[in-house]
Amino acid sequence: MAPSAANPNSLAGIGVSPGLIAGPVARMAPGISEPEIATLDPSRDTEKECDRVAAAAQTVKKGLELSAAEAKGDGRTLLETTAQMAADPTLTSSAQAMIRERRLVPERAVWEAAGTLASMLESLGGYMAERTRDVQDVRDRIVAVLTDSPMPGIPRLPEPFVLVAEDLAPADTALLDPEKVVAFVTSEGGPTSHTAILARALGIPAIVGTGSAVTDQLSDGDIVLVDGTKGTIVVDPSEDQLRRARELASRVRVFNGDGATKDGHEVQLLANVGDGAAARSAAEANAMGVGLFRTEFCFLDQPEEPSVDDQVEAYKAVLAAFPGKKVVVRTLDAGADKPLPFLTDATEANPALGVRAYRTTRRDPEVLDHQLEALAKAEAETNAKVWVMAPMISTAEEAKAFTEKARSYGLQTAGMMIEVPSAAIMADKMFEYADFASIGTNDLTQYVMAADRLLSSLADLSTAWQPAVLRLIKEACDGAAPHGRPVGVCGEAAADPALATVLVGLGVASLSMTARALPDVDAVLKSVDLAECQRLAGIATSSATAEEARQAVRAELPILEELGL
């Protein structure tokens, strides 16, 4: 990204978490240097060196597990996933084989073994390709232990700072302290990466995908103004700019649980949650309910399918936080970026297009049966109103089969996710069976634009502002209208206040997001009436490009500048 023509001191990237804040730059320390190619001294015992590798991997695993125990929500899940990588015998055994066969020093053996594993994962694409970052993170940590070097990670400084890095490992992001890391800027990454999603959950302004040409211009101690909404970094901001940032930061907006446009058209503002703790936080933020309960978060650290009783307890923890309110439960979205060892095949050539989500019922139908049984029992023991939906529904036959199965367990409100273009195009037929739908804009965008949403080099395509995506959302809403079925959005698009007005104008009835985004979305919706939302939707869908749509809509919403959004 080049400096802005309007302001030569302004650098640009992709804004992924809103907010305007200033602070001194602290660059992430360089990663562990690649060890030299060296062989063991003849006097050294290869088996003892192999044992050192195994012990170092266990040390890293235990350290990550301890950090996971202290983390919350998405952060805990990310750390647990990285700890699983450290425990994976593939990396350790490959390194040990190199020590035995080539007498490589342990640190070099680990480095080469990790390189081979990362290359294999990258060739698989999709979620497996993103796990290369976990491999590199674990590699660096094991090498640090073996060489008695400082453990890589986020700087520890006494004062708050803006973190600048090439990229952040999931384990690093999960440990971000918003009191110290007030914003971050990375040269890599995209708008739907795990790093971006967690930044939004933590409420940390963040910019990704700047390219190294930008981050190389930022030095330790530089004062920068980070605008996570616009995706700009101002170096050496003026006093007026700093005053403006302080003023906006001092404002506290709250959501009162009454989502609606200015003329009283109700828009349910809901929360995305993964466990009971997140549900309780969402309830404290006055979310009107849950628009996406990601049940797979209850499964991710399990080597085998949890029992029905265990599932009941996990589901009750979420349902109990919203007595009398709607809780939209997504059945297992396993596969692609959320593999489960007891259900999915990690060796699929293209897991994003493979046997994932509802498609796993083709070979393991009992897993869905157990989940629906547990959900029905959890609903019976709480006062929440359970709406259950299946992800990756692609045909009317699948919509019919799922809704009938859900109702057979006593779950009266059964629907579907719209993530596949066919579901949006055939919505009129889908809603002959589905009671409701929720649009997952991350996957829908990925499939519409044929762009891997985890690939930073295609980040410009991975935005729901794409007019093609918006037109499909309208088609889905139009297909639901004759049946009187509600359509919601639970993807990352719902948390964008400007895009929220467009979605409402397209016919979306509910928006589900990280609880931190509720006040901003509510404030912008209350500044416009339904007719204005419809007009903005027309502007966006008639635009030629995503950026044209975004800029045109934002230009019609002066409240965004007033709110610092």
Side-chain angles (χ1 to χ4, degrees):
M1 299 283 182
S4 165
N7 183 353
N9 290 336
S10 180
L11 306 171
I14 302 169
V16 295
S17 184
L20 183 68
I21 198 160
V25 166
R27 296 185 63 92
M28 180 82 89
I32 297 294
S33 299
E34 179 176 351
E36 294 182 1
I37 300 175
T39 55
L40 292 168
D41 183 275
S43 63
R44 289 169 69 176
D45 186 322
T46 55
E47 289 309 311
K48 287 185 178 180
E49 299 303 321
C50 288
D51 291 343
R52 286 185 62 218
V53 169
Q58 281 300 308
T59 298
V60 169
K61 174 179 174 288
K62 290 177 181 178
L64 290 166
E65 287 175 340
L66 287 173
S67 296
E70 298 175 0
K72 298 178 181 178
D74 292 357
R76 172 175 293 181
T77 301
L78 288 172
L79 285 166
E80 288 173 343
T81 300
T82 307
Q84 289 173 9
M85 179 63 75
D88 189 335
T90 304
L91 178 59
T92 304
S93 60
S94 295
Q96 291 172 329
M98 291 180 186
I99 294 172
R100 294 187 180 104
E101 296 167 11
R102 296 166 54 193
R103 292 190 63 82
L104 284 178
V105 293
E107 58 270 27
R108 182 65 198 186
V110 169
W111 192 275
E112 292 193 12
T116 300
L117 179 57
S119 296
M120 181 193 73
L121 293 175
E122 191 166 8
S123 69
L124 295 174
Y127 169 78
M128 303 310 292
E130 184 170 89
R131 293 218 67 190
T132 59
R133 191 69 186 88
D134 292 307
V135 173
Q136 293 162 352
D137 183 32
V138 168
R139 173 201 68 193
D140 288 354
R141 291 171 184 270
I142 294 176
V143 170
V145 173
L146 290 170
T147 58
D148 197 24
S149 302
M151 193 67 71
I154 295 168
R156 295 181 178 274
L157 300 174
E159 300 299 327
F161 58 90
V162 173
L163 180 64
V164 174
E166 177 181 336
D167 197 6
L168 297 179
D172 292 327
T173 316
L175 292 172
L176 286 177
D177 179 358
E179 297 297 319
K180 286 295 179 68
V181 182
V182 296
F184 68 78
V185 177
T186 64
S187 59
E188 298 183 3
T192 57
S193 65
H194 291 304
T195 298
I197 292 170
L198 194 60
R200 286 187 283 267
L202 292 171
I204 300 175
I207 297 173
V208 302
T210 65
S212 58
V214 168
T215 53
D216 286 350
Q217 296 182 53
L218 303 175
S219 302
D220 285 323
D222 285 350
I223 301 299
V224 294
L225 179 64
V226 176
D227 189 329
T229 303
K230 296 178 181 178
T232 59
I233 309 115
V234 177
V235 182
D236 193 20
S238 68
E239 185 54 43
D240 285 343
Q241 290 173 313
L242 292 173
R243 187 181 304 111
R244 165 76 170 159
R246 288 193 295 268
E247 177 191 341
L248 290 172
S250 67
R251 297 180 186 177
V252 178
R253 286 191 295 277
V254 296
F255 174 51
N256 295 320
D258 56 350
T261 58
K262 184 167 65 174
D263 56 338
H265 173 74
E266 184 184 62
V267 180
Q268 289 188 327
L269 298 185
L270 312 169
N272 296 339
V273 306
D275 56 23
R280 291 187 290 274
S281 296
E284 292 171 2
N286 293 317
M288 299 169 75
V290 172
L292 176 63
F293 172 18
R294 304 182 181 100
T295 56
E296 62 275 1
F297 280 19
C298 304
F299 291 70
L300 284 178
D301 59 347
Q302 304 293 324
E304 55 189 36
E305 180 191 359
S307 69
V308 170
D309 288 342
D310 286 343
Q311 290 185 52
V312 170
E313 293 306 309
Y315 302 153
K316 282 168 57 180
V318 172
L319 301 182
F322 287 93
K325 294 184 179 180
K326 177 172 76 174
V327 175
V328 180
V329 181
R330 180 177 69 188
T331 58
L332 274 180
D333 189 18
D337 61 338
K338 294 175 284 288
L340 294 176
F342 60 84
L343 189 60
T344 57
D345 180 4
T347 65
E348 282 185 341
N350 195 340
L353 300 179
V355 181
R356 58 172 294 202
Y358 180 71
R359 297 173 183 177
T360 60
T361 61
R362 297 181 179 210
R363 61 188 182 204
D364 294 292
E366 70 282 355
V367 175
L368 177 60
D369 287 325
H370 297 158
Q371 189 169 24
L372 294 175
E373 179 186 350
L375 282 169
K377 289 182 177 180
E379 181 181 34
E381 296 181 32
T382 62
N383 294 320
K385 299 175 182 178
V386 172
W387 291 29
V388 63
M389 63 182 181
M392 287 289 288
I393 293 293
S394 305
T395 67
E397 292 93 338
E398 289 178 344
K400 180 175 186 290
F402 173 74
T403 54
E404 288 179 349
K405 181 180 282 281
R407 292 182 188 117
S408 75
Y409 282 93
L411 296 162
Q412 295 304 310
T413 307
M416 63 180 183
M417 292 283 290
I418 294 180
E419 303 161 288
V420 181
S422 63
I425 294 168
M426 298 295 291
D428 58 332
K429 300 299 182 184
M430 299 284 195
F431 284 108
E432 291 179 7
Y433 309 105
D435 296 321
F436 71 98
S438 188
I439 298 173
T441 51
N442 295 356
D443 267 330
L444 182 62
T445 301
Q446 170 175 244
Y447 295 132
V448 171
M449 303 308 296
D452 188 337
R453 65 190 181 95
L454 302 178
L455 195 58
S456 59
S457 60
L458 298 178
D460 59 311
L461 298 177
S462 300
T463 169
W465 279 103
Q466 291 288 349
V469 175
L470 297 176
R471 290 184 185 191
L472 273 184
I473 293 174
K474 184 178 189 307
E475 192 153 355
C477 292
D478 289 347
H483 301 279
R485 309 299 197 193
V487 175
V489 167
C490 61
E492 292 302 315
D496 181 335
L499 190 49
T501 65
V502 171
L503 296 173
V504 171
L506 294 174
V508 169
S510 64
L511 300 167
S512 191
M513 63 202 76
T514 176
R516 289 180 178 272
L518 291 168
D520 290 339
V521 172
D522 177 56
V524 174
L525 286 177
K526 281 189 167 64
S527 74
V528 292
D529 58 27
L530 180 59
E532 180 68 1
C533 289
Q534 293 168 339
R535 187 179 73 83
L536 294 174
I539 290 174
T541 54
S542 63
S543 296
T545 69
E547 188 57 23
E548 180 184 318
R550 179 177 177 276
Q551 294 292 352
V553 170
R554 289 185 61 86
E556 298 293 320
L557 292 168
I559 190 173
L560 296 173
E561 190 67 27
E562 178 186 330
L563 297 176
L565 300 173

